[in-house]
Amino acid sequence: MSTDYSELTGDYTIDTSHSRMGFVARHAMVAKVRGNFDEFAGSVHVDGAKPENSTAQVSIQAKSIDTRNSQRDDHLRSNDFLDMDNHPEITFASTAVAPAGDDHFTVTGDLTIRGATKSVDIDFEYAGRAVDPYGNVRLGFEGKVVLNRKDFGVSWNAVLEGGGVMVSEKVTLEIEVSAIKNPA
């Protein structure tokens, strides 16, 4: 039996203090480095009767990258990676939403990183609805997508002595959203 999403219809604002825009990349072929973007904003329109009419958009400040290592973060902000001086924002704007099973959706959209825009399919799971102690209606979504960073012009790397490279081409974006329904 599928979930009835009709009560979810409305416009929502992403609650950045309870959401995460993160990523994972392999470092030196042996370890995973995780990071976040600490400054972002976004909105979601949910059409519960016709989920395919739902939309989402997000804007991330590239300078807000945080991997818990300031030297690495500075390198990631540089022209070698995000080139934040010339491309201060990473953006996503949905172009389609398709149900993909109970509580799962594929959100297709235009992702722009470092000035390069590519269409990506992000798999999302609807995590639920809650009313918080302040009377706010909240929706939760979790999603992820694996990207090739070279598709976005992020191509810096270093060859390792024993073979392999310093930074993997594949990066997993991890998205955890708590969105608050806007007043009618």
Side-chain angles (χ1 to χ4, degrees), residues 26-141:
R26 192 158 296 277
H27 177 263
M29 308 295 293
V30 297
K32 290 181 179 178
V33 171
R34 296 182 185 279
N36 298 306
F37 291 96
D38 295 331
E39 296 176 29
F40 56 90
S43 61
V44 178
H45 170 74
V46 175
D47 185 330
K50 292 187 173 188
E52 61 274 13
N53 292 335
S54 299
T55 60
Q57 48 275 331
V58 175
S59 176
I60 300 169
Q61 298 303 308
K63 70 180 180 184
S64 73
I65 196 166
D66 181 7
T67 64
R68 299 178 312 144
N69 179 297
S70 61
Q71 184 178 6
R72 177 175 48 225
D73 293 345
D74 287 343
H75 191 201
L76 292 170
R77 291 179 187 111
S78 78
N79 186 46
D80 285 345
F81 288 92
L82 295 176
D83 191 16
M84 66 162 233
D85 289 338
N86 294 307
H87 307 285
E89 288 188 333
I90 297 167
T91 61
F92 176 81
S94 67
T95 56
V97 175
D102 285 349
D103 293 336
H104 287 81
F105 299 87
T106 300
V107 178
T108 300
D110 293 331
L111 178 64
T112 302
I113 301 173
R114 197 181 159 119
T117 302
K118 302 289 179 190
S119 180
V120 297
D121 294 329
I122 306 174
D123 296 322
F124 275 96
E125 180 178 6
Y126 168 62
R129 176 190 180 276
V131 178
D132 69 22
Y134 306 102
N136 296 310
V137 175
R138 291 178 174 271
L139 299 183
F141 298 95

Side-chain angles (χ1 to χ4, degrees), residues 3 8 18 21 37 42 53 60 66 119 125 148 152 155 170:
T3 303
L8 307 180
H18 294 97
M21 299 293 161
F37 291 96
N53 292 335
I60 300 169
D66 181 7
S119 180
E125 180 178 6
N148 184 325
F152 296 90
S155 57
K170 296 201 181 295

